[in-house]
């Protein structure tokens, strides 16, 4: 019996060993296949085989891919030297594919991005500084004319690594009919007034459950600049985390949720599709009286709720705070190190962004409902006609011109910092830590990361 048991155990061991080898072999095959795809992806038929190819990767799909394809076609028709060949890459694996392409010596020539990659990739030598591809006059002109935040998004350590082709900023969407029912004829001028009005606009059922939210602020990165704070001082090139202004902002967010109870608010929000991009957005149905969101909602509302009466306004500042302040991110174009055709890639970047011909590029921005790189584009007849068609869009243009709009801090660990800021806000609004303790924990955590990076020479 003992011998039989040993034999059975040997068979099991052999089986597990073979299974591990088969799994390893499968992983190797998948990795090789992925690398082969990155280095030599399936090729679309060339329309202009006599031209210099410029390989362009992006992450848009569906109707957005159609817009990108139209811009590419316009570029290819505008000149006879280059042919941009566009490839839509799944957003979940795009960054990994790019890194593998660079390490394999065959990256795309240009890539559209919206992830937090610029400082980390620039620090690792993976990106070509775009200012190195500009003439001195082009670089000087861009710095003088672009919206402040459009340059901030793409800059790191004095160089421009990403050129924006669509900035995202955030403002209030509100229902005038809801406000009028409370006797408010104009939108509140201060955050304190908006908070008070929001309490009056909120509705509860007979069980005390929230059925309509008047105003519920969220987003530490959005509200810190409004309170006069933020997370990076560009004059000192240093992080600013545990400051009195940031504490005021975090305390405001915690108190706002605490007014109704954290669980009550979560229960209300979980029943809604707040991220919906069609008729299901709860602002349309009136479940929010005032909410904060990006400029892309303007076209969504025109498409899915054209009869809805609404308006937009900047988030009002608290007493002692900053006007026209908040957070921004966006789409930007990068050129990887090792790109075969960096010059052609940059010609395409200039074409799309409007660096060289704002009048021509203005149409592209209207196709995507994007905020432009510079006032030169915003002042073209095409773009002004677009804003006239969607007048609520003007609020976001006004915000673009403000120095008080801040993007993510330009540090090589942007993803980690964003995650820690989210955890800090979560701890404060849940009540698991006081705002003061949550900020202190954030400061200690990030300091530990800075020391780790210094220790390993990162």
């Amino acid at each position: 019996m003992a011998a039989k048991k040993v034999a059975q155990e040997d068979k099991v061991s052999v089986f597990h060993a073979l299974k591990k080898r088969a799994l390893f072999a499968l992983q190797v095959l998948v990795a090789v296949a992925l690398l082969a795809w990155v280095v030599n992806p399936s090729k679309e038929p060339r329309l202009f085989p006599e031209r210099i190819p410029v390989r362009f990767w992006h992450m848009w799909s569906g109707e957005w891919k159609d817009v990108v394809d139209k811009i590419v076609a316009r570029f290819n028709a505008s000149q006879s030297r280059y042919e941009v060949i566009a490839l839509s890459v799944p957003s979940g694996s795009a960054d990994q594919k790019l890194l593998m392409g660079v390490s394999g010596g065959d990256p795309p020539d240009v890539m559209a991005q919206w992830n937090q990659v610029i400082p980390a990739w620039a620090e690792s030598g993976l990106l070509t500084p775009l200012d190195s591809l500009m003439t001195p006059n082009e670089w000087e002109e861009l710095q003088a004319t672009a919206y402040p935040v459009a340059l901030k998004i793409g800059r790191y350590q004095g160089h421009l690594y990403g050129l924006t082709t669509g900035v995202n900023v955030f403002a209030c969407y509100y229902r005038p009919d809801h406000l009028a029912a409370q006797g408010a004829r104009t939108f509140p001028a201060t955050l304190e007034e908006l908070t008070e009005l929001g309490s009056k606009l909120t509705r509860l059922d007979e069980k005390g459950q929230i059925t309509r939210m008047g105003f519920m602020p969220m987003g530490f990165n959005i509200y810190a600049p409004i309170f006069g704070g933020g997370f990076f001082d560009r004059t000192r090139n240093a992080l600013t985390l545990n400051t009195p202004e940031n504490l005021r902002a975090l305390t405001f967010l915690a108190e706002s949720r605490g007014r109704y109870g954290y669980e009550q608010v979560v229960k209300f929000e979980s029943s809604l599709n707040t991220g919906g991009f069609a008729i299901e957005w709860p602002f349309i149905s009136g479940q929010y009286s005032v909410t904060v969101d990006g400029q892309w909602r303007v076209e969504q509302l025109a498409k899915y709720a054209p009869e809805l009466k609404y308006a937009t306004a900047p988030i009002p500042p608290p007493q002692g705070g900053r006007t026209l302040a908040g957070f921004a991110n966006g789409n930007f174009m990068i050129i990887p190190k090792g790109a075969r055709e960096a010059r052609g890639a940059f010609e395409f970047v200039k074409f799309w962004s409007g660096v060289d011909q704002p009048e021509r590029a203005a149409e592209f921005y209207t196709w995507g409902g994007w905020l432009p790189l510079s006032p030169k584009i915003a002042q073209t007849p095409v773009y002004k006609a677009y804003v006239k068609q969607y007048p609520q869009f003007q609020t976001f243009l006004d915000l673009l011109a403000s120095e008080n709009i801040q993007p993510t801090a330009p540090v090589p660990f942007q993803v980690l910092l964003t995650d820690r800021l989210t955890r800090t806000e979560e701890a404060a609004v849940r009540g698991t830590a006081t705002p003061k303790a949550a900020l202190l924990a954030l400061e200690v955590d990030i300091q530990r990361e800075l020391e780790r990076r210094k220790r390993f020479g990162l």
Side-chain angles (χ1 to χ4, degrees):
M1 291 292 293
K4 186 176 180 180
K5 183 178 180 181
V6 170
Q8 288 176 336
E9 290 176 350
D10 287 343
K11 287 181 181 179
V12 172
S13 298
V14 170
F15 171 76
H16 284 303
L18 290 173
K19 185 178 178 181
K20 287 182 179 179
R21 289 180 185 177
L23 182 59
F24 176 73
L26 180 61
Q27 290 172 334
V28 171
L29 286 173
V30 171
V32 170
L34 180 59
L35 181 60
W37 185 93
V38 170
V39 175
N40 188 26
S42 59
K43 296 181 178 179
E44 294 286 335
R46 294 283 304 276
L47 296 178
F48 306 98
E50 74 283 358
R51 298 188 189 180
I52 300 171
V54 176
R55 295 166 301 161
F56 168 47
W57 288 5
H58 64 85
M59 297 180 285
W60 284 288
S61 59
E63 61 183 293
W64 299 105
K65 180 181 180 299
D66 295 338
V67 172
V68 173
D69 288 342
K70 284 173 64 178
I71 296 171
V72 168
R74 280 288 183 91
F75 175 77
N76 288 338
S78 72
Q79 43 75 53
S80 59
R81 180 174 176 80
Y82 303 106
E83 180 186 8
V84 169
I85 305 164
L87 181 67
S88 178
V89 182
S91 58
S93 57
D95 291 357
Q96 182 185 10
K97 286 180 169 63
L98 188 282
L99 295 176
M100 291 181 70
V102 172
S103 63
D106 192 25
D109 298 303
V110 57
M111 184 177 187
Q113 264 285 357
W114 54 65
N115 295 328
Q116 298 173 333
V117 298
I118 286 181
W121 288 4
E123 190 84 1
S124 300
L126 300 177
L127 300 179
T128 299
L130 300 184
D131 49 287
S132 70
L133 300 172
M134 297 181 187
T135 66
N137 286 341
E138 283 178 330
W139 180 222
E140 184 178 339
E141 174 76 6
L142 180 64
Q143 293 181 91
T145 60
Y147 285 116
V149 71
L151 285 181
K152 289 176 183 176
I153 289 173
R155 292 189 79 153
Y156 179 67
Q157 299 293 344
H159 291 286
L160 184 71
Y161 290 96
L163 196 57
T164 54
T165 52
V167 183
N168 297 324
V169 293
F170 300 84
C172 293
Y173 287 76
Y174 67 94
R175 300 280 299 261
D177 56 333
H178 289 194
L179 271 63
Q182 292 297 323
R185 296 184 178 180
T186 59
F187 195 70
T190 69
L191 193 55
E192 289 84 1
E193 292 173 359
L194 176 56
T195 300
E196 182 180 354
L197 178 60
S199 297
K200 296 177 181 178
L201 292 168
T202 298
R203 296 287 180 267
L204 307 177
D205 63 17
E206 64 279 1
K207 296 180 181 179
Q209 305 294 317
I210 301 169
T211 58
R212 184 177 83 185
M213 181 61 72
F215 172 62
M216 179 51 61
M218 60 184 298
F220 195 15
N221 54 355
I222 293 176
Y223 285 90
I226 295 171
F227 278 84
F231 309 115
F232 196 81
D233 184 340
R234 290 177 182 266
T235 61
R236 297 189 296 113
N237 196 36
L239 285 164
T240 53
L241 303 175
N242 191 7
T243 66
E245 295 81 8
N246 289 348
L247 178 59
R248 283 184 65 206
L250 191 59
T251 301
F252 167 72
L253 294 172
E255 290 178 347
S256 296
R257 289 238 163 183
R259 187 172 294 111
Y260 302 102
Y262 177 80
E263 297 299 334
Q264 279 279 69
V265 176
V266 169
K267 186 175 181 180
F268 171 73
E269 291 175 340
S270 64
S271 66
L272 308 174
N273 186 359
T274 55
F277 287 98
I279 192 68
E280 71 275 6
W281 189 36
F283 178 75
I284 295 175
S285 60
Q287 290 167 293
Y288 280 96
S289 298
V290 182
T291 189
V292 173
D293 220 311
Q295 77 286 340
W296 56 85
R297 296 293 190 182
V298 172
E299 278 202 2
Q300 176 188 349
L301 289 166
K303 183 176 182 179
Y304 294 102
E307 302 303 318
L308 180 69
K309 303 298 182 184
Y310 77 99
T312 59
I315 304 173
Q319 294 181 4
R322 292 179 183 151
T323 58
L324 297 176
F327 174 73
N329 56 22
N331 312 319
F332 50 89
M333 306 285 268
I334 58 173
I335 296 179
K337 272 287 178 67
R340 294 178 186 174
E341 193 46 59
R343 179 53 59 185
F346 190 59
E347 289 301 314
F348 176 58
V349 171
K350 290 196 296 182
F351 178 87
W352 184 336
S353 63
V355 166
D356 50 359
Q357 293 192 35
E359 297 82 4
R360 178 178 60 192
E363 188 176 12
F364 310 152
Y365 286 94
T366 65
W367 289 348
W370 295 314
L371 289 167
L373 170 70
S374 71
K376 283 188 173 183
I377 298 168
Q379 292 304 313
T380 61
V382 169
Y383 205 86
K384 289 172 75 172
Y386 178 80
V387 176
K388 185 176 181 179
Q389 181 181 0
Y390 303 108
Q392 298 89 349
F393 219 76
Q394 185 62 51
T395 295
F396 300 93
L397 280 176
D398 294 342
L399 287 165
L400 269 187
S402 173
E403 290 283 358
N404 296 329
I405 301 294
Q406 300 182 20
T408 306
V411 293
F413 49 96
Q414 280 184 328
V415 174
L416 173 71
L417 177 60
T418 299
D419 174 70
R420 296 302 186 268
L421 289 173
T422 301
R423 292 188 190 184
T424 300
E425 181 176 358
E426 182 74 7
V429 300
R430 284 182 69 95
T432 57
T434 65
K436 186 174 182 179
L439 266 188
L440 179 59
L442 170 68
E443 185 177 48
V444 170
D445 198 11
I446 296 303
Q447 184 58 41
R448 187 181 299 118
E449 172 63 16
L450 290 170
E451 291 170 356
R452 186 191 71 83
R453 297 181 67 85
K454 183 177 181 180
R455 188 165 61 251
F456 290 102
L458 300 175

